[in-house]
Amino acid sequence: MGVSVLKSFAFIIGVFFSVVNLLACGWSDDWNYDKDESYDFFDPSIIGIEKNSPLLYLSTDFLHPTSYNGRIYYYDETKKQLNIKEWERYFHNKATAKEIETMLYDDYDSLSPIDYYKTHLNTRIANPQFEAYLLYLTKQIPYVTRDTYARGIIDPNGYKQIMAEGESLFQNTKEPVLKLRYLYLLMRFYHYNQDYSNVIKLYRANLYWTDKQISIVNEWNKALYAGALAHTGEEIEANRLFASCIDHKTNAYLALYDFSIKNDEQWNKLLSSAGSNDEKAEYYFLRAFQGHNSLLHEHRQIRSFAPESIWFERLGYVILQDLQADYYREKSGETQSKSYVEKKRFFLQTLKGLKKPAFFDRYAEQYLNVIENKPIDLNVIRMLDAQANPEQRKFVALLKYLNHVNTLKVAELEKLYQELFSLKSKFTVSMQDSLVKYTALRVAEFYPKKSIGFELLKTYTITYDSYSAEGLQTFWFGPKRSMLEQNILDQNNKIELNQKYQIIATRYIRERKYDKAIEYLRKIPKDQQIVSDYNPFNASLSGNNRSGTSTAMTQLRYAEIMKELYDKVNKNPQSVQEHLLIANGLYNQSMFGNFPSSSYVYYLTWNRSEFQKDLEIIKKEYLLTASLTTDQELKAKIAYELLKVSSMLLKLQAENEDVSHSETMAKMYKQYKSEFQHTRIGLQNIKGCATFQLFL
Amino acid sequence: MKKYLFIGLMGLSVTVGFLLLKFLSAPLPYTFYYWKQKVVFLPDQSVLYVKCQDVGYDGKLTILSSEFDIPAGTKIVPVFYIENRVLIETKPEILVENLLETFEKQRQRYRFTYDEIQFDCDWSASTRDAYFELLRNVKRKTALKISATIRLHQISDARNMGVPPVDRGVLMYYNMSDFSDVHTQNYILDTEVAKTYLKHSSSYPLAVDIALPLYSQVTIIRFGEVVGLIEGVHSTELNTQFDRIGQNRYKICKSGYFKGKMLYEGDIVRIDEVTEKALKQAIQDIKSSSLHGISKIIFFRYENKEEYSQDTIERVIQSF
């Protein structure tokens, strides 16, 4: 055997042991299930905001990218859809929404907007003014992007040209739809090129007629104007305008992100400019989202002068989400800070100071009780029932349901499932998932630990290799499951019938119940059988017993041969050849061998103690075989397999300690040498196996 | 003749000795990091270390290039900041290709010069291999002098963190405590905390330069958690809004804005200042450590230079 082969062998062994160590680290018999308690029980319809609006949605915190991206995506999409609708109206429905979308938004379409128009729409629409608009829009793009690399180097003369052309098109266009859009293009052009005074001038000069247009373009123009004011030191007016953006359909998020106060003077001036307490409350509301400002303090401020305003309620809604995120973060140990209790106390004190608590104020307190597994106050629930508007009633039902889950008794399980399935349909998909999860985690506690039902309900998945074949068989084909289990299975654990057979058979092979395995494997079509590329009855020098020559043996054929071999040794217990083949088969169906997929569903879910058990069984079989023969060559062959198995057992037993170079290991290899170096096979192994070179 | 020769040799020896003494006692050179997205400076110092690329991962590889407004031909040391996540999500060869291509465009556009590039990454044991592969790849492709920043924990736990395969390291002697821990004494420079790391630096094989902080900030603590910071604050600037409650801790007694940030009554603020005394102490500790090959001090950062007098900087340097 050449040096390179030795190196390869050492490498394979090395990699294998690294993998073993790596996998062993990730598993212990006392592995605890992670209790992922991130629930979404928030639906803005409780405070009168559109059901799917992400404006006040918090994913852990307001500044979290998920919250931010969710908002931007939602408004970008709304903007696109409303824009397409406006163009549809403009074209008097001569272009479909799909065509408009492809023309203006499809980056993957090989045609530019103008080329698409000429190719697909011109004959139907025949609007030279629109064509001119598209042409100008395309020309302007490089001048209105922050992506400096994408736009390339801009010709400074081009700037003047674009500006002049835009001004001319705007002035000469009489048709109001296009005129308004030219105004937007020009304002945007000036804005990107930091010519804010022209943005302001254009907006103010045209307000008299743009105000009369019903178009989403007005929302964009107003935002550009507000931005220009902010850049030119007119912060108060800019903030007033940004605040008003909160009612916009296409860019309401600007109110949250671009409203900006830098000092007390600006703040006081803004408050003085407010025409009502409600307007003032909105400013406090918006200030709460700036940087790391305090939602709780701003909420309390609003209480002092406008407790009945929508802004007090809306801020309370955001605070409740924030508190929930803190509660579960702290509970899971994800954060070292312990701010939940202090924040909650502050929030509840604010609510307690209300003379006339509104529905949401009462709801919030009870909601916190529920997530903390504290009983709800039934008097308050009665008040909530009385106060709730039709949209809010389902939230009272939600509180009652979660409270029921918290205080659940086994006898009430089926009743609870009925409640769950009638309640679910009233909420969004995300809330439905949370309802099922909340229920499942609680119900799991009624199942024996390590049972399939427990695992399924706790983690929504089943680690097949942790369960007996019979357990899985009963689980899939046994008595009817509870509605909840079935629901979770339907949602998360869809599995084909043949796959179930295969999993059960695999577990039977691991349990060495080959006849049962055969029964299930015979139900699976041949082309879906698992196949070994190597002869699983071969035992060779290499660690995994791959001889290098390929063979194809299905899992079924393997099980059949193993069954035949066991039948033979039952009849003739002294048969050396059959015992040797059984030992090799067991070796190869283990994680150590070349056909582990015959007895493990997933390689990654095996664990140290199971692997140890496998190795002990293999060792026993090899020892038995060795005791039946006097042939020294065969003994050398078997002893070498035993050496590999024993080395691995030593490593597994040592857990984190590296025993590769230990004295015990050296002793084992030296002993093999002294016992078998006189044999042909022994000598071949000693020379061919790199590990021997370490010790001898 | 011999007499003149002797006198001449004596004279030469004295001169060489004098020059050698002068060289040996010369203060260590120093420079700055420049860490803004838009680079505008006059090269009044020796070569500045300038953040050129901010490499992150947001579903895809994102490279944010700094913009420059500097005279063509200005010599800098470009610094590439690499977010740890990038190393998990991107293959080293793809990262190198993207990075060098973007950098080349940037260099062509702004025409700065350089003969060294630096990498800044808070690599971990799990990203170590990918990061080192990146460094080796860049070295192979550019043949430039490569340096890398090294955090204190990476030096004290070199066995797990590895030693980056670069020509020189720069030990970042700041931000050594836990920012989110409300009990932290001084997040920027706590020489006692630093010493605990330095203890384990004895066998660090790489020659390192030292980066020292030249900035201060206020850390805001609200409801028992750190919620933010205000940069560029010195204790002399704290007004009547702040009630002193500890060595470097204050309680906010009246809600209102301070340096553009809103502070609320009841907030606790900790001022993390970097004093001349602390910087000198840091230098003494570094000198007493077994770190070797220190050839310069790099202050973080140029933008805060004005907060410290030139004399202060000189005195700190001279204490080395």
Side-chain angles (χ1 to χ4, degrees), chain B residues 51-237:
Chain B
K51 185 180 77 168
C52 280
Q53 312 281 355
D54 196 327
V55 187
Y57 191 89
D58 182 17
K60 62 178 172 38
L61 183 67
T62 56
I63 302 179
L64 200 60
S65 299
S66 303
E67 291 178 18
F68 288 73
D69 186 2
I70 55 173
T74 304
K75 192 171 182 185
I76 61 166
V77 176
V79 185
F80 300 160
Y81 172 72
I82 316 276
E83 228 181 66
N84 221 347
R85 197 176 159 206
V86 172
L87 301 166
I88 298 165
E89 306 284 354
T90 321
K91 285 183 179 171
E93 59 273 21
I94 292 174
L95 182 55
V96 172
E97 205 175 293
N98 277 277
L99 199 62
L100 294 182
E101 194 189 317
T102 316
F103 177 59
E104 181 54 22
K105 280 185 190 170
Q106 190 183 36
R107 191 195 63 77
Q108 281 176 13
R109 174 163 297 175
Y110 301 113
R111 292 184 284 165
F112 49 75
T113 63
Y114 60 97
D115 53 22
E116 173 191 349
I117 50 178
Q118 186 170 101
F119 282 82
D120 177 28
C121 175
D122 188 5
W123 81 88
S124 64
S126 62
T127 57
R128 178 188 69 183
D129 293 347
Y131 181 50
F132 291 0
E133 184 58 24
L134 166 76
L135 296 172
R136 276 190 288 269
N137 268 332
V138 172
K139 181 78 184 173
R140 267 197 298 273
K141 288 192 181 234
T142 63
L144 286 165
K145 183 181 166 191
I146 311 264
S147 57
T149 58
I150 299 164
R151 271 80 175 161
L152 276 160
H153 72 94
Q154 288 159 341
I155 279 203
S156 68
D157 188 19
R159 190 171 292 181
N160 286 318
M161 306 303 287
V163 177
V166 290
D167 300 301
R168 284 193 83 77
V170 176
L171 175 62
M172 293 167 66
Y173 210 78
Y174 52 91
N175 294 1
M176 55 207 36
S177 303
D178 183 351
F179 177 69
S180 60
D181 186 350
V182 293
H183 303 296
T184 288
Q185 293 300 310
N186 186 325
Y187 170 64
I188 302 171
L189 181 60
D190 186 332
T191 50
E192 289 307 310
V193 172
K195 266 195 258 184
T196 62
Y197 287 109
L198 279 185
K199 262 190 222 164
H200 305 283
S201 66
S202 59
S203 55
Y204 205 69
L206 191 66
V208 292
D209 291 326
I210 305 295
L212 287 175
L214 212 56
Y215 67 101
S216 61
Q217 67 190 27
V218 144
T219 301
I220 309 163
I221 299 163
R222 186 177 300 144
F223 296 117
E225 68 178 337
V226 172
V227 294
L229 58 87
I230 309 175
E231 288 184 341
V233 182
H234 293 270
S235 50
T236 49
E237 297 171 89

Side-chain angles (χ1 to χ4, degrees), chain A residues 607-619:
Chain A
N607 67 64
R608 183 183 290 267
S609 67
E610 294 288 295
F611 189 20
Q612 272 176 301
K613 276 183 210 163
D614 287 352
L615 291 172
E616 293 291 356
I617 291 166
I618 298 163
K619 191 175 170 181

